[in-house]
Amino acid sequence: MRRLFTCLPAAGAALIVGLLRMGATGPEQGAKPSAPGRSAVLVELFTSEGCSSCPPADALLAKLDELGRVGNAQVLALEEHVDYWDDQGWRDPFSSHDWTTRQFAYAGVLGNRNPYTPQMVVDGSVEFSGGRVEQALQSIAAAAERAKVPVTLAQADRDKPGKEGVSVEVGKLLAPPKGGAAEVWLAVTETGLHSSVTRGENAGHELRHAAVVRSMRKIGEAKPDRDVSFSSDAAVPLRKEWNRDHLKAVAFVQEKNSLRILGAAEISLHP
């Protein structure tokens, strides 16, 4: 059967340097709570260690995650490793069919019926090849101009060993969702991950990642016509192999049908 998934041409390292030339501000340490006048923008990258075009896009997302902010945007990064490259000589240890399913959902609403890697999606509203620095910055800047639903995320009391408690609160929805129910999602990401690839298109390369999605699940729905449209505590299971010092939690509100991101927040899960 003909494979529908393709790798787009790799971006050069000079594009990463271009990120710094185009007005991105300096790095932030630790968690990135919402700041006055700064709008949280969710930047997702669908990638794979089996794709030779993906490392430059991974590097771009890592730089965005390191900077934490671009102009008026607070960047919240999610690196989602798909699994459809796993039969091409190298099985990506961070891949999940769940992220492939999520990418297919975006393909259905964003007009691209042929999922590919690397693919970047900004605020669930626009997609493009993940290595395009200028387009990434422009899309992030445009997303930061749109009004967002306030989302508050904080650590809560631990439920039991191996789990972290978080508290999520979503403010009043700006308008009744037109793209379906306003779903509340919670993800856990880990930075500092890397692989020594021995087979496939990236054989012989050491690949490094940032904000790799370790888990993601729906925790509820925000209700319209309420000053606080959603409020809940959630238990986050943490696996032993995850480095606690490198974990972050990301909460976001997403329309069920349009997949548009309405608001988001991020905190560190440091002990």
Side-chain angles (χ1 to χ4, degrees), residues 53-255:
S53 295
C54 287
D58 296 346
L60 171 57
L61 188 74
K63 178 58 67 175
L64 290 168
D65 185 54
E66 176 190 349
L67 294 170
R69 53 192 179 192
V70 175
N72 291 327
Q74 175 197 356
V75 177
L76 278 55
L78 298 179
E79 184 172 303
E80 299 165 57
H81 289 236
V82 298
D83 67 348
Y84 49 76
W85 280 93
D86 286 357
D87 60 354
Q88 300 299 299
W90 174 256
R91 186 188 181 283
D92 188 331
F94 310 117
S95 67
S96 169
H97 190 67
D98 289 342
W99 317 150
T100 299
T101 299
R102 183 169 175 83
Q103 187 185 32
F104 265 76
Y106 276 129
V109 300
L110 296 181
N112 186 334
R113 299 289 177 176
N114 184 20
Y116 62 90
T117 54
Q119 181 186 37
M120 189 167 283
V121 177
V122 175
D123 259 358
S125 299
V126 61
E127 66 83 23
F128 48 89
S129 175
R132 296 178 179 171
V133 174
E134 185 172 356
Q135 189 167 3
L137 295 178
Q138 290 174 348
S139 298
I140 291 169
E145 294 300 316
R146 292 191 285 269
K148 298 294 179 65
V149 176
V151 179
T152 302
L153 180 61
Q155 285 183 275
D157 293 335
R158 295 184 184 179
D159 186 16
K160 58 182 63 175
K163 292 187 177 181
E164 179 64 51
V166 297
S167 176
V168 183
E169 183 174 292
V170 180
K172 188 173 183 177
L173 298 178
L174 302 176
K178 297 180 180 180
E183 298 182 333
V184 183
W185 289 77
L186 182 65
V188 174
T189 68
E190 183 176 357
T191 60
L193 295 171
H194 59 91
S195 295
S196 298
V197 180
T198 59
R199 297 182 300 278
E201 291 189 359
N202 288 313
H205 294 279
E206 180 79 12
L207 302 184
R208 300 187 178 276
H209 308 291
V212 172
V213 175
R214 287 302 208 171
S215 68
M216 186 190 301
R217 64 186 176 95
K218 176 186 171 183
I219 60 173
E221 292 184 1
K223 303 300 182 182
D225 303 321
R226 298 182 183 179
D227 288 339
V228 177
S229 62
F230 176 87
S231 181
S232 180
D233 290 340
V236 181
L238 303 179
R239 298 180 63 171
K240 292 181 179 180
E241 62 266 31
W242 299 352
N243 187 332
R244 183 64 181 271
D245 290 334
H246 294 166
L247 297 182
K248 289 179 281 190
V250 181
F252 58 94
V253 185
Q254 186 167 37
E255 289 184 331

